[in-house]
Amino acid sequence: MLDLLVDERDQAFVLYEMLKIDKLCDSPLFAQHSKDLFDMVLNEARKFAVAELAPIASEADRQGCSYDPDKHSVKAPECYHSPYKIFREGEWIAMCDSADVGGQGFPLCLGTAVSELFYAGSFCLYGAAELTHGAAKLIEVFGDNGQKEQFMKKLYSGEWMGTMCLTESNAGSDVGAVKTKAVQNNDGTYSISGTKIFISAGEHDLVENIVHMVLARVEGDPVGSKGISLFIVPKNLVNDDGTPGERNDVFCTGIEHKMGIHGLSTATLNFGDNGKCTGYLLGKQGRGLMEMFHMMNEQRLLVGIEGLAISSTAYLNAVEYTKTRIQGASVSATPGQEGASVPIIQHPDVKRMLLWMKAYVEGCRALTYFTSFCIDNTYISDGKEKKKSQGLVDLLIPVVKAYNTDRSWEITGTAIQCAGGYGYCSDYPFERLARDCKITSIFEGTNGIQAMDLVFRKLARDKLVAFGELISRITKTIEEAKKIEAIVQYANTVQMVKDQLVEIVGYLMSMLKNGKMVDVYAKATPFLEVMGDLALGWMHLWQLSLSYPKLIDLVGVASGEELDQMIDESKEAAFYHGKVLTARYYIGSVLKRSFGKIEQLRSDEFPVLNISDASFAS
Ligand SMILES: Cc1cc2nc3c(=O)[nH]c(=O)nc-3n(C[C@H](O)[C@H](O)[C@H](O)COP(=O)(O)OP(=O)(O)OC[C@H]3O[C@@H](n4cnc5c(N)ncnc54)[C@H](O)[C@@H]3O)c2cc1C
């Protein structure tokens, strides 16, 4: 079966050659694992994604979910039932969680590589499973023993599934505005009432119970985010023996008709229309939003992985398509001897599109896995090291979420372009991938919200501590790269972008000090973009300083006939040559656009801030 999901060799390169994740097994936390075991897990994940998930993606898109208004029920695409069963039996949901909760304790960076494969196979089905993981984790962290026994285990095993219920018609980006109400009952439970909209996997028939994590305000608590609490609200109440019992008063009143992710229901849920919706307080009253952020941070990284995964499969499908589509004579043939038409991958403009996609996919992959690797490091270190790793995670999550997902919209668009008219039609996966990926820049906090989080919380509130650590890591990579003469010019370019970004950060912080907060709001998204550009420049330079010496070791030269011959004969030589050229292209060409973007950040935002609502359209 054709595997066009995630480049296996590139995954191994990032995991083992860049991050050296096998070294994690030296720490007691991961001592039971080994590289062989990691390879086995990746191999099994790939087999499952290729054999069970990828084949159902377009069928699920066509079938979609169907709503029955009489029963308030939703049918998930029929083709999901069998793969979900296999997925559950494979115990994938808790693969990175501790054995105490039924997990297998693998490092998160390995889990990230697995997630990339699963999302690339079926964004919707795996998306629902990952929400389930987030719900289980919330109960693990904030729940009492009874809640863990009743709900967490069944969520981690995938027997039941979970949701996160924040959004209401008046509370989208402004989560603090939720109006859903909770009134305490005599037995300590709460009666929940209100309506949540846009709830992913809010209703479906894949499992016999759905456990909703609901933000609501206890009657009498203050307005705003400080008055919000978090509740567990199961679709079916739970019997003493742990089986699903009486139907709780939470009903789906409709599902959205939407651009993409047709396999995943997006439900409106009414809580307590009959006055009988039972919820259980999770954690502390009034701390609900803080607690929910635990799930949201995990989900934001996962949404970044979604963006990466869709980009990855769009790119690989484009490579495959352009190798087989014959159109037009080669422009490199001697004039007068053009001859027959060639595969379009041979045309320079098509190669440009493919290399552009490859550069972003591989850069985003490295950055995303690195962020997960930092999370693993927070588990195995303490003191200053732990703090540094946590700082990097907090700083990079909004970048991974927003940058990866904005790129995936561009990459899927470029993949459509590579396939021409066929790319626009549904015989190929390109248009579905484009439709599916757009939501990733919207949910889990829009990308605009991520940019504000980055500038105001992760830079300013942190007093640039984590940013300083990031810059010192980038500087180290630049210094290492400068030891290899042939790549010094690329190290210099990354250094220039880094220095200018540091200057811009200083400029933004001084604007904040001078009370120009509104100006900084207007610059947040362009700033995140440049920070992502630099982060990818760093990743590519890191990869270049590993790949260049390997290429020389393998071939002896970095260009010329000998190299061409080796590339034809050796997959490894082709791989490293590809890495070298991709890094050279990104740093030497794409990254240079950041100088213009930085110039834009230096200019004032007078037009943005001063144009009146009335002047936009007359
Ligand atoms: C398919 C789908 C699945 C979803 N799944 C879930 C789910 O499972 N659970 C859940 O709770 N929600 C879910 N959502 C809701 C999603 O998280 C929200 O749509 C998102 O948070 C944005 O809210 P909104 O749609 O109200 O847009 P708005 O908040 O109205 O935002 C519209 C635009 O205005 C910008 N904006 C808004 N406020 C500000 C501000 N203060 N400063 C600057 N710009 C601002 C935004 O960045 C955006 O560009 C889902 C939505 C969809 C469409």
Side-chain angles (χ1 to χ4, degrees):
M1 199 172 284
L2 201 56
D3 174 2
L4 298 176
L5 298 179
V6 180
D7 184 331
E8 186 174 0
R9 183 65 185 86
D10 196 57
Q11 277 197 313
F13 176 79
V14 177
L15 291 174
Y16 299 126
E17 293 172 59
M18 272 184 89
L19 303 176
K20 301 184 172 40
I21 70 159
D22 36 327
K23 294 243 160 59
L24 287 172
C25 304
D26 296 343
S27 78
L29 185 66
F30 299 118
Q32 76 275 29
H33 300 308
S34 64
K35 180 173 182 299
D36 286 349
L37 196 57
F38 292 167
D39 284 340
M40 208 177 82
V41 170
L42 274 175
N43 204 22
E44 286 305 309
R46 180 172 295 277
K47 274 201 274 185
F48 173 67
V50 172
E52 305 292 339
L53 296 179
I56 56 166
S58 68
E59 194 184 334
D61 180 57
R62 270 193 305 276
Q63 274 180 11
C65 299
S66 54
Y67 174 64
D68 181 338
D70 297 328
K71 295 184 184 151
H72 298 288
S73 64
V74 174
K75 275 192 190 308
E78 196 51 47
C79 55
Y80 277 178
H81 287 265
S82 160
Y84 184 69
K85 188 167 171 282
I86 303 171
F87 175 78
R88 263 192 61 197
E89 286 164 2
E91 298 181 9
W92 290 106
I93 292 187
M95 68 168 277
C96 297
D97 299 283
S98 93
D100 303 343
V101 296
Q104 301 174 63
F106 284 108
L108 191 71
C109 47
L110 185 77
T112 298
V114 168
S115 293
E116 189 188 351
L117 281 161
F118 289 171
Y119 278 129
S122 174
F123 176 19
C124 296
L125 186 57
Y126 189 59
E130 278 299 0
L131 280 165
T132 300
H133 179 271
K137 182 57 84 185
L138 272 183
I139 301 174
E140 181 190 339
V141 176
F142 300 108
D144 59 33
N145 287 340
Q147 292 170 335
K148 288 181 191 174
E149 197 53 42
Q150 265 191 328
F151 302 108
M152 181 194 73
K153 287 185 176 169
K154 289 202 161 69
L155 290 169
Y156 270 140
S157 71
E159 185 178 341
W160 296 349
M161 293 180 88
T163 71
M164 73 193 272
C165 300
L166 289 78
T167 306
E168 299 174 8
S169 57
N170 59 309
S173 298
D174 184 9
V175 185
V178 298
K179 286 190 174 148
T180 296
K181 208 166 76 176
V183 179
Q184 192 165 22
N185 302 316
N186 292 337
D187 63 358
T189 65
Y190 287 77
S191 290
I192 309 290
S193 58
T195 299
K196 296 284 179 185
I197 62 166
F198 290 160
I199 303 308
S200 296
E203 177 60 33
H204 56 80
D205 59 351
L206 285 176
V207 287
E208 55 179 355
N209 207 1
I210 300 175
V211 182
H212 305 291
M213 299 288 133
V214 181
L215 287 184
R217 203 177 299 277
V218 175
E219 203 177 33
D221 276 359
V223 292
S225 49
K226 289 200 176 117
I228 295 176
S229 303
L230 179 56
F231 296 88
I232 303 172
V233 183
K235 172 177 163 181
N236 297 297
L237 299 174
V238 183
N239 295 324
D240 289 345
D241 65 358
T243 56
E246 190 189 333
R247 186 73 164 80
N248 201 4
D249 181 14
V250 46
F251 290 98
C252 174
T253 54
I255 56 173
E256 301 297 332
H257 299 276
K258 51 194 195 281
M259 173 179 180
I261 59 167
H262 293 157
L264 188 66
S265 63
T266 303
T268 299
L269 296 179
N270 278 16
F271 295 83
D273 275 1
N274 308 300
K276 286 184 182 164
C277 178
T278 303
Y280 310 97
L281 180 68
L282 181 61
K284 293 205 172 82
Q285 186 174 334
R287 301 279 298 163
L289 198 55
M290 293 294 295
E291 291 163 7
M292 190 57 117
F293 259 107
H294 207 277
M295 182 168 182
M296 279 155 76
N297 267 335
E298 174 180 310
Q299 292 299 318
R300 284 175 178 182
L301 179 59
L302 285 164
V303 174
I305 303 171
E306 289 171 1
L308 164 66
I310 293 183
S311 300
S312 165
T313 187
Y315 161 65
L316 291 179
N317 274 283
V319 172
E320 180 64 20
Y321 181 88
T322 56
K323 279 181 178 169
T324 50
R325 168 75 173 156
I326 311 289
Q327 194 77 185
S330 167
V331 288
S332 40
T334 318
Q337 297 181 356
E338 284 85 1
S341 298
V342 294
I344 58 173
I345 196 169
Q346 292 181 20
H347 298 311
D349 191 52
V350 175
K351 279 194 180 186
R352 175 193 60 76
M353 290 192 277
L354 293 173
L355 187 54
W356 180 88
M357 287 191 275
K358 178 171 160 66
Y360 275 118
V361 169
E362 294 179 6
C364 289
R365 176 173 298 126
L367 183 66
T368 308
Y369 289 17
F370 171 77
T371 306
S372 298
F373 182 66
C374 290
I375 296 178
D376 288 322
N377 278 317
T378 66
Y379 301 146
I380 61 169
S381 56
D382 44 32
K384 271 189 185 166
E385 276 315 303
K386 190 183 180 80
K387 255 188 152 172
K388 280 183 189 172
S389 295
Q390 189 59 54
L392 285 174
V393 172
D394 295 341
L395 182 68
L396 289 174
I397 280 183
V399 180
V400 168
K401 193 282 181 185
Y403 196 82
N404 284 12
T405 58
D406 279 342
R407 295 298 79 73
S408 73
W409 180 232
E410 296 169 357
I411 287 169
T412 50
T414 305
I416 291 175
Q417 198 68 19
C418 284
Y422 296 98
Y424 193 69
C425 300
S426 55
D427 297 346
Y428 289 89
F430 303 109
E431 59 85 34
R432 169 176 54 80
L433 293 170
R435 285 188 286 107
D436 281 356
C437 90
K438 187 57 203 149
I439 189 58
T440 59
S441 67
I442 297 169
F443 61 14
E444 290 314 328
T446 64
N447 286 358
I449 298 292
Q450 302 303 318
M452 288 183 266
D453 178 49
L454 174 66
V455 174
F456 289 95
R457 293 179 68 225
K458 307 304 170 57
L459 293 179
R461 199 195 289 175
D462 184 52
K463 298 191 170 37
L464 305 186
V465 175
F467 182 71
E469 175 61 19
L470 179 76
I471 293 301
S472 91
R473 300 260 185 137
I474 296 175
T475 305
K476 263 187 214 146
T477 303
I478 293 169
E479 282 163 6
E480 280 304 305
K482 281 186 177 173
K483 292 178 187 162
I484 306 171
E485 210 183 318
I487 64 171
V488 168
Q489 58 170 304
Y490 301 99
N492 286 338
T493 303
V494 175
Q495 182 165 1
M496 276 194 285
V497 177
K498 180 206 72 171
D499 290 346
Q500 293 195 19
L501 187 91
V502 169
E503 188 199 313
I504 286 295
V505 167
Y507 169 61
L508 293 179
M509 295 304 112
S510 72
M511 283 175 101
L512 284 179
K513 258 191 208 150
N514 296 329
K516 291 190 160 180
M517 191 184 264
V518 181
D519 301 56
V520 179
Y521 270 112
K523 288 176 188 293
T525 290
F527 173 78
L528 185 147
E529 169 105 3
V530 182
M531 185 147 157
D533 290 350
L534 172 66
L536 256 64
W538 170 36
M539 292 294 129
H540 277 296
L541 187 65
W542 185 350
Q543 301 201 346
L544 181 60
S545 37
L546 294 172
S547 302
Y548 186 84
K550 293 221 168 145
L551 181 67
I552 298 296
D553 274 357
L554 275 172
V555 187
V557 287
S559 61
E561 267 177 33
E562 207 175 325
L563 177 73
D564 294 344
Q565 195 188 336
M566 274 298 279
I567 285 170
D568 288 341
E569 289 167 7
S570 153
K571 273 191 161 184
E572 281 296 275
F575 173 76
Y576 287 115
H577 190 230
K579 293 301 291 179
V580 167
L581 292 186
T582 306
R584 282 177 54 179
Y585 173 70
Y586 181 83
I587 300 169
S589 189
V590 181
L591 183 61
K592 287 189 175 159
R593 293 186 199 164
S594 307
F595 293 121
K597 296 181 195 173
I598 289 169
E599 206 40 57
Q600 186 206 347
L601 277 162
R602 279 200 196 99
S603 71
D604 73 27
E605 299 296 347
F606 186 81
V608 173
L609 297 175
N610 287 281
I611 186 164
S612 72
D613 300 358
S615 303
F616 276 109
S618 47

